Short mmCIF file of all heavy atoms in Angstrom, two decimals:
data_model
loop_
_atom_site.label_atom_id
_atom_site.label_comp_id
_atom_site.label_asym_id
_atom_site.label_seq_id
_atom_site.Cartn_x
_atom_site.Cartn_y
_atom_site.Cartn_z
N MET A 1 14.76 38.87 39.56
CA MET A 1 15.02 37.76 38.65
C MET A 1 15.04 38.30 37.23
O MET A 1 14.09 38.89 36.76
CB MET A 1 13.91 36.72 38.83
CG MET A 1 14.12 35.48 38.00
SD MET A 1 12.80 34.25 38.13
CE MET A 1 12.54 34.09 39.85
N ASN A 2 16.14 38.11 36.54
CA ASN A 2 16.25 38.55 35.16
C ASN A 2 15.54 37.58 34.24
O ASN A 2 15.42 36.42 34.55
CB ASN A 2 17.73 38.60 34.74
CG ASN A 2 18.51 39.60 35.54
OD1 ASN A 2 17.96 40.60 36.00
ND2 ASN A 2 19.78 39.34 35.73
N GLN A 3 15.08 38.09 33.10
CA GLN A 3 14.50 37.18 32.11
C GLN A 3 15.56 36.18 31.71
O GLN A 3 16.70 36.52 31.49
CB GLN A 3 14.02 37.94 30.88
CG GLN A 3 13.44 36.98 29.86
CD GLN A 3 12.51 37.67 28.91
OE1 GLN A 3 12.19 38.83 29.08
NE2 GLN A 3 12.04 36.95 27.94
N GLY A 4 15.16 34.92 31.63
CA GLY A 4 16.12 33.89 31.30
C GLY A 4 16.81 33.34 32.52
O GLY A 4 17.60 32.42 32.42
N ASP A 5 16.55 33.88 33.70
CA ASP A 5 17.16 33.40 34.94
C ASP A 5 16.05 32.99 35.89
O ASP A 5 15.35 33.83 36.43
CB ASP A 5 18.00 34.51 35.56
CG ASP A 5 18.62 34.09 36.88
OD1 ASP A 5 18.68 32.86 37.15
OD2 ASP A 5 19.04 34.98 37.64
N LEU A 6 15.91 31.69 36.09
CA LEU A 6 14.85 31.20 36.98
C LEU A 6 15.37 30.94 38.38
O LEU A 6 14.62 30.50 39.24
CB LEU A 6 14.24 29.90 36.41
CG LEU A 6 13.54 30.06 35.08
CD1 LEU A 6 13.02 28.71 34.61
CD2 LEU A 6 12.40 31.05 35.15
N GLY A 7 16.65 31.17 38.60
CA GLY A 7 17.22 30.87 39.90
C GLY A 7 17.24 29.37 40.12
O GLY A 7 17.53 28.60 39.22
N ASP A 8 16.89 28.95 41.30
CA ASP A 8 16.90 27.53 41.65
C ASP A 8 15.68 26.85 41.03
O ASP A 8 14.54 27.20 41.35
CB ASP A 8 16.87 27.41 43.17
CG ASP A 8 16.96 25.97 43.64
OD1 ASP A 8 17.05 25.06 42.80
OD2 ASP A 8 16.92 25.77 44.85
N LEU A 9 15.92 25.88 40.16
CA LEU A 9 14.80 25.21 39.48
C LEU A 9 13.92 24.45 40.47
O LEU A 9 12.76 24.17 40.16
CB LEU A 9 15.33 24.27 38.40
CG LEU A 9 15.97 24.94 37.20
CD1 LEU A 9 16.48 23.90 36.21
CD2 LEU A 9 15.02 25.89 36.52
N ALA A 10 14.42 24.15 41.64
CA ALA A 10 13.60 23.47 42.65
C ALA A 10 12.43 24.35 43.09
O ALA A 10 11.41 23.85 43.54
CB ALA A 10 14.45 23.08 43.86
N ASN A 11 12.57 25.66 42.94
CA ASN A 11 11.53 26.59 43.34
C ASN A 11 10.64 27.02 42.17
O ASN A 11 9.77 27.86 42.33
CB ASN A 11 12.14 27.83 43.99
CG ASN A 11 12.83 27.49 45.29
OD1 ASN A 11 12.36 26.65 46.05
ND2 ASN A 11 13.96 28.11 45.54
N LEU A 12 10.88 26.46 41.00
CA LEU A 12 10.10 26.79 39.82
C LEU A 12 8.65 26.33 40.00
O LEU A 12 8.41 25.24 40.50
CB LEU A 12 10.72 26.09 38.60
CG LEU A 12 10.07 26.31 37.24
CD1 LEU A 12 10.19 27.77 36.84
CD2 LEU A 12 10.73 25.42 36.21
N ASP A 13 7.71 27.17 39.61
CA ASP A 13 6.31 26.77 39.69
C ASP A 13 5.73 26.66 38.27
O ASP A 13 6.34 27.10 37.30
CB ASP A 13 5.48 27.71 40.57
CG ASP A 13 5.45 29.15 40.05
OD1 ASP A 13 5.66 29.37 38.83
OD2 ASP A 13 5.21 30.05 40.85
N THR A 14 4.57 26.06 38.18
CA THR A 14 3.95 25.80 36.88
C THR A 14 3.71 27.10 36.11
O THR A 14 3.95 27.16 34.91
CB THR A 14 2.63 25.02 37.06
OG1 THR A 14 2.90 23.83 37.79
CG2 THR A 14 2.04 24.64 35.72
N GLN A 15 3.24 28.12 36.79
CA GLN A 15 2.93 29.38 36.11
C GLN A 15 4.18 29.99 35.47
O GLN A 15 4.16 30.43 34.33
CB GLN A 15 2.31 30.37 37.09
CG GLN A 15 1.92 31.68 36.44
CD GLN A 15 1.24 32.64 37.40
OE1 GLN A 15 1.04 32.31 38.57
NE2 GLN A 15 0.88 33.79 36.92
N THR A 16 5.29 29.97 36.19
CA THR A 16 6.54 30.51 35.65
C THR A 16 7.03 29.65 34.49
O THR A 16 7.46 30.17 33.45
CB THR A 16 7.61 30.58 36.75
OG1 THR A 16 7.10 31.38 37.83
CG2 THR A 16 8.90 31.18 36.24
N LEU A 17 6.93 28.34 34.64
CA LEU A 17 7.32 27.43 33.57
C LEU A 17 6.52 27.72 32.30
O LEU A 17 7.08 27.80 31.20
CB LEU A 17 7.10 25.98 34.01
CG LEU A 17 7.33 24.92 32.93
CD1 LEU A 17 8.80 24.85 32.54
CD2 LEU A 17 6.83 23.57 33.41
N LEU A 18 5.23 27.91 32.44
CA LEU A 18 4.36 28.13 31.28
C LEU A 18 4.68 29.42 30.54
O LEU A 18 4.38 29.53 29.35
CB LEU A 18 2.89 28.10 31.70
CG LEU A 18 2.35 26.71 32.01
CD1 LEU A 18 0.94 26.80 32.59
CD2 LEU A 18 2.38 25.80 30.79
N GLN A 19 5.32 30.38 31.20
CA GLN A 19 5.72 31.61 30.52
C GLN A 19 6.75 31.31 29.43
O GLN A 19 6.88 32.06 28.47
CB GLN A 19 6.30 32.61 31.51
CG GLN A 19 5.25 33.16 32.45
CD GLN A 19 5.85 34.05 33.53
OE1 GLN A 19 7.05 34.33 33.54
NE2 GLN A 19 5.00 34.50 34.43
N HIS A 20 7.47 30.20 29.57
CA HIS A 20 8.47 29.81 28.58
C HIS A 20 7.91 28.83 27.55
O HIS A 20 8.62 28.42 26.65
CB HIS A 20 9.68 29.17 29.27
CG HIS A 20 10.43 30.14 30.13
ND1 HIS A 20 11.18 31.16 29.60
CD2 HIS A 20 10.53 30.25 31.47
CE1 HIS A 20 11.72 31.87 30.59
NE2 HIS A 20 11.34 31.33 31.72
N LEU A 21 6.63 28.46 27.71
CA LEU A 21 6.04 27.46 26.82
C LEU A 21 4.76 27.93 26.14
O LEU A 21 3.79 27.18 26.03
CB LEU A 21 5.74 26.17 27.63
CG LEU A 21 6.92 25.54 28.36
CD1 LEU A 21 6.46 24.34 29.16
CD2 LEU A 21 8.01 25.16 27.37
N PRO A 22 4.72 29.16 25.65
CA PRO A 22 3.49 29.64 25.02
C PRO A 22 3.18 28.82 23.77
O PRO A 22 4.07 28.51 22.97
CB PRO A 22 3.79 31.10 24.67
CG PRO A 22 5.28 31.13 24.51
CD PRO A 22 5.80 30.14 25.52
N GLY A 23 1.93 28.45 23.63
CA GLY A 23 1.50 27.75 22.44
C GLY A 23 1.69 26.24 22.47
O GLY A 23 1.24 25.55 21.57
N VAL A 24 2.37 25.71 23.50
CA VAL A 24 2.53 24.26 23.57
C VAL A 24 1.20 23.65 23.96
O VAL A 24 0.57 24.04 24.93
CB VAL A 24 3.61 23.85 24.60
CG1 VAL A 24 3.64 22.34 24.78
CG2 VAL A 24 4.98 24.36 24.17
N ARG A 25 0.76 22.70 23.15
CA ARG A 25 -0.49 21.99 23.43
C ARG A 25 -0.14 20.59 23.89
O ARG A 25 0.53 19.84 23.19
CB ARG A 25 -1.36 21.95 22.18
CG ARG A 25 -1.81 23.36 21.78
CD ARG A 25 -2.70 23.34 20.59
NE ARG A 25 -3.88 22.54 20.88
CZ ARG A 25 -4.93 22.45 20.10
NH1 ARG A 25 -4.94 23.10 18.97
NH2 ARG A 25 -5.96 21.70 20.42
N PHE A 26 -0.56 20.29 25.09
CA PHE A 26 -0.26 18.97 25.67
C PHE A 26 -1.36 17.99 25.32
O PHE A 26 -2.51 18.39 25.23
CB PHE A 26 -0.11 19.12 27.19
CG PHE A 26 1.11 19.89 27.57
CD1 PHE A 26 1.05 21.25 27.84
CD2 PHE A 26 2.33 19.26 27.65
CE1 PHE A 26 2.18 21.97 28.18
CE2 PHE A 26 3.48 19.97 27.99
CZ PHE A 26 3.40 21.32 28.26
N PRO A 27 -1.02 16.71 25.15
CA PRO A 27 0.32 16.14 25.26
C PRO A 27 1.24 16.64 24.15
O PRO A 27 0.80 16.93 23.05
CB PRO A 27 0.09 14.63 25.17
CG PRO A 27 -1.24 14.47 24.52
CD PRO A 27 -2.03 15.70 24.82
N ALA A 28 2.53 16.72 24.50
CA ALA A 28 3.52 17.26 23.55
C ALA A 28 4.80 16.44 23.63
O ALA A 28 5.18 15.96 24.69
CB ALA A 28 3.81 18.72 23.88
N GLU A 29 5.46 16.33 22.49
CA GLU A 29 6.74 15.64 22.44
C GLU A 29 7.79 16.44 23.19
O GLU A 29 7.78 17.67 23.19
CB GLU A 29 7.19 15.46 20.98
CG GLU A 29 6.26 14.59 20.16
CD GLU A 29 6.19 13.16 20.68
OE1 GLU A 29 7.24 12.59 21.05
OE2 GLU A 29 5.08 12.60 20.69
N LYS A 30 8.72 15.73 23.81
CA LYS A 30 9.76 16.36 24.62
C LYS A 30 10.54 17.41 23.82
O LYS A 30 10.76 18.51 24.31
CB LYS A 30 10.70 15.26 25.13
CG LYS A 30 11.92 15.78 25.84
CD LYS A 30 12.73 14.70 26.51
CE LYS A 30 13.31 13.70 25.57
NZ LYS A 30 14.20 12.73 26.29
N GLU A 31 10.92 17.09 22.60
CA GLU A 31 11.72 18.04 21.81
C GLU A 31 10.93 19.29 21.46
O GLU A 31 11.49 20.39 21.42
CB GLU A 31 12.28 17.37 20.55
CG GLU A 31 13.19 18.27 19.74
CD GLU A 31 14.33 18.91 20.54
OE1 GLU A 31 14.88 18.28 21.46
OE2 GLU A 31 14.67 20.06 20.22
N GLN A 32 9.63 19.14 21.24
CA GLN A 32 8.79 20.32 20.98
C GLN A 32 8.78 21.24 22.20
O GLN A 32 8.90 22.46 22.07
CB GLN A 32 7.37 19.89 20.63
CG GLN A 32 6.45 21.08 20.42
CD GLN A 32 4.97 20.70 20.38
OE1 GLN A 32 4.61 19.54 20.54
NE2 GLN A 32 4.13 21.68 20.17
N VAL A 33 8.63 20.65 23.37
CA VAL A 33 8.61 21.44 24.61
C VAL A 33 9.96 22.13 24.80
O VAL A 33 10.02 23.34 25.07
CB VAL A 33 8.27 20.55 25.82
CG1 VAL A 33 8.36 21.34 27.12
CG2 VAL A 33 6.87 19.94 25.66
N ALA A 34 11.05 21.39 24.62
CA ALA A 34 12.39 21.97 24.79
C ALA A 34 12.66 23.08 23.78
O ALA A 34 13.18 24.14 24.14
CB ALA A 34 13.45 20.88 24.67
N ALA A 35 12.30 22.85 22.53
CA ALA A 35 12.54 23.85 21.49
C ALA A 35 11.73 25.12 21.74
O ALA A 35 12.23 26.23 21.53
CB ALA A 35 12.21 23.27 20.12
N THR A 36 10.50 24.96 22.19
CA THR A 36 9.67 26.12 22.50
C THR A 36 10.27 26.91 23.65
O THR A 36 10.35 28.14 23.60
CB THR A 36 8.23 25.69 22.84
OG1 THR A 36 7.68 25.01 21.71
CG2 THR A 36 7.36 26.90 23.18
N ALA A 37 10.72 26.21 24.68
CA ALA A 37 11.35 26.89 25.83
C ALA A 37 12.59 27.65 25.36
O ALA A 37 12.80 28.81 25.74
CB ALA A 37 11.70 25.87 26.90
N GLU A 38 13.38 27.01 24.52
CA GLU A 38 14.60 27.64 24.03
C GLU A 38 14.30 28.90 23.22
O GLU A 38 14.95 29.93 23.37
CB GLU A 38 15.37 26.63 23.18
CG GLU A 38 16.80 26.98 22.94
CD GLU A 38 17.59 25.79 22.41
OE1 GLU A 38 17.08 25.07 21.52
OE2 GLU A 38 18.70 25.59 22.89
N ARG A 39 13.30 28.83 22.35
CA ARG A 39 12.91 30.00 21.53
C ARG A 39 12.37 31.14 22.40
O ARG A 39 12.37 32.30 21.97
CB ARG A 39 11.82 29.61 20.54
CG ARG A 39 12.32 28.91 19.31
CD ARG A 39 11.27 28.84 18.23
NE ARG A 39 9.99 28.29 18.67
CZ ARG A 39 9.68 27.00 18.69
NH1 ARG A 39 10.54 26.10 18.30
NH2 ARG A 39 8.49 26.61 19.10
N ASN A 40 11.91 30.83 23.59
CA ASN A 40 11.33 31.84 24.46
C ASN A 40 12.27 32.23 25.60
O ASN A 40 11.82 32.63 26.68
CB ASN A 40 9.99 31.35 25.00
CG ASN A 40 8.93 31.40 23.91
OD1 ASN A 40 8.43 32.46 23.57
ND2 ASN A 40 8.63 30.25 23.32
N ASP A 41 13.57 32.11 25.32
CA ASP A 41 14.60 32.60 26.23
C ASP A 41 14.60 31.94 27.60
O ASP A 41 14.96 32.56 28.59
CB ASP A 41 14.52 34.13 26.39
CG ASP A 41 14.74 34.84 25.08
OD1 ASP A 41 15.62 34.39 24.31
OD2 ASP A 41 14.04 35.83 24.81
N ALA A 42 14.21 30.67 27.64
CA ALA A 42 14.31 29.94 28.90
C ALA A 42 15.79 29.72 29.21
O ALA A 42 16.61 29.61 28.30
CB ALA A 42 13.60 28.60 28.80
N PRO A 43 16.14 29.65 30.48
CA PRO A 43 17.54 29.37 30.83
C PRO A 43 17.99 28.04 30.23
O PRO A 43 17.20 27.09 30.15
CB PRO A 43 17.51 29.28 32.36
CG PRO A 43 16.27 29.99 32.77
CD PRO A 43 15.30 29.82 31.65
N GLN A 44 19.24 27.98 29.81
CA GLN A 44 19.76 26.76 29.18
C GLN A 44 19.62 25.56 30.10
O GLN A 44 19.36 24.44 29.65
CB GLN A 44 21.22 26.97 28.77
CG GLN A 44 21.72 25.89 27.84
CD GLN A 44 20.91 25.79 26.55
OE1 GLN A 44 20.51 26.79 25.97
NE2 GLN A 44 20.67 24.57 26.09
N GLU A 45 19.77 25.77 31.40
CA GLU A 45 19.63 24.66 32.35
C GLU A 45 18.23 24.04 32.26
O GLU A 45 18.08 22.81 32.30
CB GLU A 45 19.88 25.15 33.78
CG GLU A 45 19.75 24.04 34.82
CD GLU A 45 19.89 24.54 36.24
OE1 GLU A 45 19.97 25.75 36.48
OE2 GLU A 45 19.90 23.68 37.14
N LEU A 46 17.22 24.87 32.13
CA LEU A 46 15.84 24.37 32.01
C LEU A 46 15.67 23.59 30.71
O LEU A 46 15.12 22.49 30.72
CB LEU A 46 14.86 25.55 32.06
CG LEU A 46 13.38 25.21 31.84
CD1 LEU A 46 12.88 24.27 32.92
CD2 LEU A 46 12.55 26.47 31.79
N VAL A 47 16.16 24.13 29.62
CA VAL A 47 16.05 23.45 28.32
C VAL A 47 16.75 22.10 28.36
O VAL A 47 16.20 21.09 27.91
CB VAL A 47 16.64 24.34 27.19
CG1 VAL A 47 16.64 23.60 25.86
CG2 VAL A 47 15.85 25.65 27.08
N GLU A 48 17.94 22.06 28.95
CA GLU A 48 18.69 20.80 29.04
C GLU A 48 17.96 19.77 29.89
O GLU A 48 17.93 18.59 29.55
CB GLU A 48 20.08 21.07 29.60
CG GLU A 48 20.98 21.77 28.62
CD GLU A 48 22.31 22.18 29.21
OE1 GLU A 48 22.65 21.73 30.34
OE2 GLU A 48 23.03 22.95 28.56
N LYS A 49 17.36 20.22 30.98
CA LYS A 49 16.64 19.27 31.84
C LYS A 49 15.41 18.71 31.12
O LYS A 49 15.08 17.54 31.30
CB LYS A 49 16.27 19.92 33.17
CG LYS A 49 17.46 20.07 34.09
CD LYS A 49 17.04 20.42 35.49
CE LYS A 49 18.24 20.48 36.40
NZ LYS A 49 18.53 19.22 37.03
N ILE A 50 14.76 19.52 30.31
CA ILE A 50 13.63 19.01 29.53
C ILE A 50 14.14 17.99 28.52
O ILE A 50 13.59 16.90 28.41
CB ILE A 50 12.89 20.17 28.82
CG1 ILE A 50 12.21 21.08 29.84
CG2 ILE A 50 11.87 19.61 27.82
CD1 ILE A 50 11.67 22.39 29.28
N ARG A 51 15.20 18.33 27.82
CA ARG A 51 15.75 17.42 26.80
C ARG A 51 16.26 16.11 27.41
O ARG A 51 16.25 15.09 26.76
CB ARG A 51 16.88 18.09 26.03
CG ARG A 51 16.35 19.09 25.03
CD ARG A 51 17.34 19.41 23.93
NE ARG A 51 16.66 20.14 22.89
CZ ARG A 51 16.89 21.42 22.60
NH1 ARG A 51 17.80 22.09 23.25
NH2 ARG A 51 16.20 22.02 21.64
N ASN A 52 16.72 16.16 28.65
CA ASN A 52 17.28 14.97 29.30
C ASN A 52 16.25 14.19 30.10
O ASN A 52 16.60 13.22 30.78
CB ASN A 52 18.45 15.37 30.20
CG ASN A 52 19.64 15.87 29.40
OD1 ASN A 52 19.86 15.43 28.28
ND2 ASN A 52 20.39 16.80 29.95
N ALA A 53 15.00 14.59 30.03
CA ALA A 53 13.95 13.90 30.78
C ALA A 53 13.83 12.45 30.32
O ALA A 53 14.13 12.12 29.17
CB ALA A 53 12.62 14.62 30.59
N ASP A 54 13.39 11.59 31.23
CA ASP A 54 13.28 10.15 30.95
C ASP A 54 12.07 9.79 30.09
O ASP A 54 11.85 8.62 29.83
CB ASP A 54 13.21 9.37 32.26
CG ASP A 54 14.54 9.37 32.99
OD1 ASP A 54 15.58 9.55 32.32
OD2 ASP A 54 14.54 9.19 34.21
N THR A 55 11.30 10.76 29.69
CA THR A 55 10.11 10.50 28.89
C THR A 55 10.27 11.13 27.51
O THR A 55 11.04 12.08 27.36
CB THR A 55 8.85 11.05 29.59
OG1 THR A 55 7.71 10.70 28.81
CG2 THR A 55 8.90 12.56 29.74
N GLN A 56 9.56 10.63 26.54
CA GLN A 56 9.58 11.22 25.20
C GLN A 56 8.38 12.15 24.98
O GLN A 56 8.33 12.88 24.01
CB GLN A 56 9.57 10.13 24.13
CG GLN A 56 10.85 9.34 24.08
CD GLN A 56 12.07 10.23 23.83
OE1 GLN A 56 12.09 11.05 22.92
NE2 GLN A 56 13.08 10.10 24.68
N ARG A 57 7.43 12.11 25.91
CA ARG A 57 6.17 12.85 25.75
C ARG A 57 5.70 13.33 27.12
O ARG A 57 5.76 12.58 28.08
CB ARG A 57 5.14 11.92 25.13
CG ARG A 57 3.85 12.55 24.77
CD ARG A 57 2.97 11.49 24.09
NE ARG A 57 1.87 12.08 23.40
CZ ARG A 57 1.92 12.59 22.18
NH1 ARG A 57 3.02 12.56 21.50
NH2 ARG A 57 0.85 13.11 21.62
N PHE A 58 5.27 14.56 27.16
CA PHE A 58 4.70 15.12 28.39
C PHE A 58 3.20 15.26 28.21
O PHE A 58 2.74 15.79 27.20
CB PHE A 58 5.29 16.50 28.69
CG PHE A 58 6.76 16.48 29.02
CD1 PHE A 58 7.69 16.95 28.13
CD2 PHE A 58 7.20 15.98 30.24
CE1 PHE A 58 9.05 16.95 28.43
CE2 PHE A 58 8.55 15.97 30.56
CZ PHE A 58 9.47 16.45 29.65
N ASN A 59 2.44 14.81 29.20
CA ASN A 59 0.98 14.92 29.14
C ASN A 59 0.47 16.26 29.63
O ASN A 59 -0.69 16.60 29.39
CB ASN A 59 0.33 13.78 29.93
CG ASN A 59 0.52 12.46 29.24
OD1 ASN A 59 0.35 12.36 28.03
ND2 ASN A 59 0.90 11.44 29.99
N GLY A 60 1.32 17.02 30.32
CA GLY A 60 0.90 18.32 30.82
C GLY A 60 2.07 19.05 31.44
O GLY A 60 3.14 18.47 31.66
N PRO A 61 1.87 20.32 31.76
CA PRO A 61 2.96 21.12 32.33
C PRO A 61 3.44 20.59 33.67
O PRO A 61 4.62 20.73 34.00
CB PRO A 61 2.37 22.52 32.45
CG PRO A 61 0.91 22.36 32.32
CD PRO A 61 0.66 21.11 31.54
N ASP A 62 2.56 19.94 34.43
CA ASP A 62 3.00 19.38 35.71
C ASP A 62 4.05 18.29 35.50
O ASP A 62 4.99 18.16 36.30
CB ASP A 62 1.82 18.83 36.51
CG ASP A 62 0.91 19.94 37.02
OD1 ASP A 62 1.38 21.08 37.16
OD2 ASP A 62 -0.28 19.66 37.29
N GLU A 63 3.91 17.52 34.43
CA GLU A 63 4.91 16.49 34.14
C GLU A 63 6.25 17.13 33.74
O GLU A 63 7.31 16.61 34.10
CB GLU A 63 4.44 15.55 33.03
CG GLU A 63 3.41 14.56 33.50
CD GLU A 63 3.07 13.53 32.44
OE1 GLU A 63 3.76 13.45 31.40
OE2 GLU A 63 2.09 12.80 32.66
N VAL A 64 6.21 18.22 33.02
CA VAL A 64 7.44 18.93 32.66
C VAL A 64 8.11 19.44 33.94
O VAL A 64 9.30 19.26 34.14
CB VAL A 64 7.15 20.11 31.71
CG1 VAL A 64 8.45 20.87 31.39
CG2 VAL A 64 6.47 19.65 30.44
N LEU A 65 7.33 20.03 34.81
CA LEU A 65 7.84 20.56 36.06
C LEU A 65 8.49 19.45 36.89
O LEU A 65 9.59 19.63 37.42
CB LEU A 65 6.72 21.24 36.84
CG LEU A 65 7.14 22.05 38.07
CD1 LEU A 65 8.08 23.19 37.68
CD2 LEU A 65 5.92 22.59 38.78
N GLN A 66 7.83 18.32 36.99
CA GLN A 66 8.39 17.19 37.75
C GLN A 66 9.71 16.72 37.15
O GLN A 66 10.67 16.44 37.88
CB GLN A 66 7.40 16.04 37.81
CG GLN A 66 6.21 16.32 38.71
CD GLN A 66 5.16 15.23 38.63
OE1 GLN A 66 5.31 14.25 37.91
NE2 GLN A 66 4.08 15.42 39.37
N ALA A 67 9.79 16.65 35.84
CA ALA A 67 11.02 16.21 35.17
C ALA A 67 12.14 17.20 35.41
O ALA A 67 13.28 16.81 35.67
CB ALA A 67 10.76 16.04 33.67
N VAL A 68 11.83 18.47 35.33
CA VAL A 68 12.84 19.52 35.51
C VAL A 68 13.37 19.51 36.94
O VAL A 68 14.56 19.73 37.18
CB VAL A 68 12.24 20.90 35.16
CG1 VAL A 68 13.10 22.03 35.64
CG2 VAL A 68 12.02 20.98 33.65
N GLN A 69 12.50 19.22 37.87
CA GLN A 69 12.89 19.25 39.29
C GLN A 69 13.39 17.89 39.77
O GLN A 69 13.73 17.74 40.93
CB GLN A 69 11.72 19.73 40.14
CG GLN A 69 11.38 21.18 39.85
CD GLN A 69 10.18 21.68 40.61
OE1 GLN A 69 9.31 20.91 40.99
NE2 GLN A 69 10.14 22.97 40.85
N GLY A 70 13.40 16.90 38.88
CA GLY A 70 13.93 15.60 39.24
C GLY A 70 13.05 14.80 40.18
O GLY A 70 13.52 14.01 40.97
N ARG A 71 11.76 15.00 40.07
CA ARG A 71 10.83 14.28 40.95
C ARG A 71 10.30 13.04 40.29
O ARG A 71 10.17 12.92 39.15
CB ARG A 71 9.65 15.18 41.33
CG ARG A 71 10.08 16.35 42.16
CD ARG A 71 8.88 17.13 42.59
NE ARG A 71 9.30 18.35 43.23
CZ ARG A 71 8.50 19.36 43.46
NH1 ARG A 71 7.25 19.29 43.15
NH2 ARG A 71 8.94 20.43 44.04
#
């Protein structure tokens, strides 16, 4: 897996997600989470899924993961 390539987001786990979100303190605004992921070379698909989430605020990384995976 290349940096910036997470493969199938359905298989993404919290630990891998957090590698793209250093310094994010939850709860966090959606745009803050997306911008941090983008600055840390997260795949564009991941950033877009965060930005398109149905919530404006994430209470924790598990909520980000659920939004990204469409759960």
Side-chain angles (χ1 to χ4, degrees):
M1 184 182 312
N2 297 331
Q3 179 158 354
D5 178 18
L6 297 178
D8 183 1
L9 291 179
N11 295 322
L12 181 64
D13 61 24
T14 304
Q15 182 177 359
T16 303
L17 174 67
L18 286 173
Q19 291 175 4
H20 294 289
L21 304 177
V24 173
R25 295 182 60 171
F26 292 96
E29 297 297 319
K30 173 172 63 175
E31 183 53 35
Q32 177 193 2
V33 176
T36 300
E38 197 166 44
R39 280 193 308 273
N40 286 284
D41 298 321
Q44 193 59 39
E45 180 185 7
L46 175 62
V47 175
E48 288 174 11
K49 286 193 176 269
I50 293 169
R51 284 201 168 112
N52 292 329
D54 289 336
T55 184
Q56 291 302 310
R57 186 176 195 84
F58 293 108
N59 290 316
D62 290 336
E63 284 187 10
V64 178
L65 189 61
Q66 288 174 1
V68 166
Q69 294 177 334
R71 295 185 188 165

